[in-house]
Amino acid sequence: CQPCIRAMPEMKRLTSRYGAAGLEVVGIATDDGPFQGRASKVAEIHRGKQLNYRVFLEGDRSQTSVQRMFGVKFVPTLILFTHEGKELWRGTGADHIPQLEAVLQHELMR
């Protein structure tokens, strides 16, 4: 989706900046359609955008298991978890990345 594509450069930047401190970004692709077509599309975007983080390919966008597991209602949803799996922060869309980065700085750079 276009909002997800707009967030990718920021996710790359955050991965580059905070990856050594423990941040691991994982994108979840929930495109519709046959698996092989979706896999090709995700691989093409991953290469074309030169993503430096993993992308997990999930089922269709109609409340897939990952979406249900994390309570995702809008995309992109950004969720920050501790190493123990506790949710620290949640936001939707690239507009919330400055807030996410503030939490990252507090948690990872202390």
Side-chain angles (χ1 to χ4, degrees):
C1 71
Q2 288 306 309
C4 298
I5 299 284
R6 283 195 301 276
M8 287 177 180
E10 288 298 312
M11 295 295 98
K12 283 176 57 175
R13 183 182 67 77
L14 293 175
T15 298
S16 293
R17 182 160 186 195
Y18 300 102
L23 176 68
E24 183 175 355
V25 171
V26 178
I28 311 294
T30 61
D31 300 14
D32 293 323
F35 180 81
Q36 194 57 40
R38 292 184 291 118
S40 295
K41 182 178 175 185
V42 168
E44 179 182 324
I45 290 170
H46 198 275
R47 277 191 310 274
K49 298 288 184 185
Q50 298 178 337
L51 301 181
N52 58 354
Y53 58 90
R54 297 178 217 203
V55 177
F56 174 80
L57 178 59
E58 178 61 4
D60 67 35
R61 294 182 62 175
S62 61
Q63 285 294 0
T64 61
S65 61
V66 172
Q67 287 176 303
R68 278 192 309 274
M69 182 185 304
F70 295 112
V72 172
K73 304 231 185 282
F74 304 100
V75 291
T77 293
L78 310 171
I79 307 171
L80 181 63
F81 293 99
T82 65
H83 281 76
E84 296 80 27
K86 177 185 173 208
E87 186 175 313
L88 273 178
W89 180 89
R90 176 184 290 251
T92 56
D95 294 344
H96 290 98
I97 290 174
Q99 296 162 350
L100 169 60
E101 189 163 13
V103 173
L104 285 171
Q105 288 176 351
H106 179 263
E107 294 297 320
L108 296 177
M109 307 309 275
R110 49 181 160 155

